[in-house]
């Protein structure tokens, strides 16, 4: 017996703020590779499709990709389905 918990007993949820492979996301990806060795199962939430989704696929057990309704400008909030739909989705 190694003293480690069985796989899946320890769960980690990682929430990425963008789906691009940049900055903070890259830092988190660097920590994911060894989690399984210690019995952690990892789920990642990403705000839309992007390069990071494919990059973390072999490092995570599950990926949840949900379009991000939040916008960072009034123009962005008005785009697409508009302010009400974005606020409701948030």
């Amino acid at each position: 017996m190694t003293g480690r918990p069985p796989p899946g007993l320890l769960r980690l949820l990682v929430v990425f703020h963008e789906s691009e492979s940049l900055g903070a996301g890259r830092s988190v990806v660097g920590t994911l590779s060894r989690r399984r060795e210690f019995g952690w199962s990892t789920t990642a939430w990403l705000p839309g499709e992007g390069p990071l989704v494919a990059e973390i696929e072999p490092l995570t057990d599950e990926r949840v990709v949900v379009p991000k309704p939040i916008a960072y400008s009034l123009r962005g909030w008005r785009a697409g389905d508009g302010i009400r739909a974005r606020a409701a989705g948030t």
Side-chain angles (χ1 to χ4, degrees), residues 6-16 27-45 56 59-64:
L9 184 62
L10 299 170
R11 300 197 43 94
L12 173 67
L13 171 63
V14 180
V15 178
F16 289 93
S27 296
V28 172
V29 168
T31 69
L32 294 178
S33 61
R34 299 207 53 213
R35 299 284 178 208
R36 283 196 180 125
E37 294 175 34
F38 296 99
W40 288 86
S41 61
T42 305
T43 299
W45 180 92
I56 66 168
L59 304 173
T60 56
D61 299 295
E62 184 179 8
R63 287 144 312 283
V64 178

Side-chain angles (χ1 to χ4, degrees), residues 2 13 20-21 26-27 36 49 53 60-61 63-64 75-76 82 88 90:
T2 64
L13 171 63
E20 298 297 321
S21 186
R26 294 281 324 127
S27 296
R36 283 196 180 125
E49 293 293 337
V53 177
T60 56
D61 299 295
R63 287 144 312 283
V64 178
R75 180 179 175 191
T90 300

